Amino acid sequence: MMLGWWLFASETAICIIVAWPVLFVGLGIGLYATCAILNAIDQKTTFCLPLLILPFMAPIFDLGALVPMKSYAVSSQIEMRGTPDEIRMLTQSVPLIADAERPWTFTHSILRAPRPLRAELVDGIRYATWESGVAFEEILTPSDDPQNLSWTFNFPDPELLKPLDYRVSPLGPEVFLDHGGYQFEAIGPDRTLVTLTTQYRLHTVMNGYFALWGQVFLNDFHMAVLHVIAQRAEATL
């Protein structure tokens, strides 16, 4: 019981839930292949040395190196009260987010992934802080477009990413977080459509499958931030 709770309450739960469909399919393929091999050899054979060697040979092959790295982008939108300039000011620096401001999301409320806490803009760099001590930088891209606020992700201290499972670390070797940004589009008097986009790369043997989970995780993160900004805009503008 305690072990099950620890797995569920830790970051390990994220990788378990993401990986279990792949493991389930792999188990079925493995069982089928084993039966096919045994049926193909002498039916009287009860011991087959090659079958014992195969599991130990798997790590020799770096399957990830056989597939190309692929780029993906996830975008989330929400309509807010205020002009694009006013909303932009609210997004540049985000003061500490209170629990009462947070929306329910699957990845944060159920999987217990670290949630965003604050972001502070200093000299062209947004210093982002999440729960569990996760912290990183967003280096703003110079732009004269007031409807755009974009950045390149920077992780100067890998130690601050340790609360994240290494398999989903934004520094690789399988997931690489690249760029992000807001777009502010006026859609009426005192109304703005805000789009938050994150661009990343995957280097796995199942890029398409893991990209589906990337859509879930990043959309939840986006909405966790956009919902707070929308609430604050409604209350202050």
Side-chain angles (χ1 to χ4, degrees), residues 141-223:
T141 304
S143 175
D144 295 328
D145 183 1
Q147 293 187 323
N148 177 66
L149 179 67
S150 59
W151 55 78
T152 299
F153 290 104
N154 184 42
F155 307 96
D157 188 355
E159 289 293 316
L160 298 179
L161 301 177
K162 280 193 172 181
L164 303 175
D165 190 286
Y166 78 98
R167 287 293 181 181
V168 295
S169 168
L171 290 174
E174 292 158 345
V175 181
F176 302 85
L177 210 55
D178 293 326
H179 309 285
Y182 290 97
Q183 286 286 337
F184 312 97
E185 179 185 355
I187 56 175
D190 201 36
R191 303 297 296 180
T192 298
L193 181 64
V194 182
T195 303
L196 178 55
T197 300
T198 298
Q199 299 177 12
Y200 68 101
R201 289 169 291 149
L202 286 177
H203 194 203
T204 74
V205 295
M206 300 185 67
N207 285 345
Y209 169 75
F210 290 112
L212 295 176
W213 280 103
Q215 179 75 33
V216 173
F217 279 90
L218 286 173
N219 185 67
D220 278 359
F221 166 74
H222 291 170
M223 296 310 298

Side-chain angles (χ1 to χ4, degrees), residues 35-62:
C35 291
I37 293 172
L38 291 175
N39 289 332
I41 62 179
D42 187 351
Q43 296 292 333
K44 297 180 180 179
T45 301
T46 58
F47 178 77
C48 185
L49 183 60
L51 291 181
L52 296 180
I53 296 176
L54 284 176
F56 297 98
M57 293 181 62
I60 298 176
F61 302 99
D62 184 4

Side-chain angles (χ1 to χ4, degrees), residues 76-83 87 183-196 223 226-234:
S76 308
Q77 292 182 326
I78 189 171
E79 182 180 331
M80 302 184 188
R81 176 184 179 184
T83 66
I87 301 301
Q183 286 286 337
F184 312 97
E185 179 185 355
I187 56 175
D190 201 36
R191 303 297 296 180
T192 298
L193 181 64
V194 182
T195 303
L196 178 55
M223 296 310 298
L226 291 172
H227 180 84
V228 171
I229 296 172
Q231 280 188 320
R232 293 178 175 180
E234 191 70 31

Side-chain angles (χ1 to χ4, degrees), residues 29-110:
I29 294 174
L31 290 173
Y32 177 82
T34 300
C35 291
I37 293 172
L38 291 175
N39 289 332
I41 62 179
D42 187 351
Q43 296 292 333
K44 297 180 180 179
T45 301
T46 58
F47 178 77
C48 185
L49 183 60
L51 291 181
L52 296 180
I53 296 176
L54 284 176
F56 297 98
M57 293 181 62
I60 298 176
F61 302 99
D62 184 4
L63 298 179
L66 302 179
V67 296
M69 187 177 295
K70 190 171 182 180
S71 297
Y72 297 89
V74 176
S75 295
S76 308
Q77 292 182 326
I78 189 171
E79 182 180 331
M80 302 184 188
R81 176 184 179 184
T83 66
D85 288 341
E86 291 171 333
I87 301 301
R88 181 189 173 98
M89 292 299 297
L90 290 177
T91 60
Q92 288 183 158
S93 289
V94 181
L96 183 64
I97 298 173
D99 288 340
E101 295 180 282
R102 300 183 184 280
W104 186 96
T105 64
F106 173 72
T107 55
H108 299 123
S109 303
I110 300 299

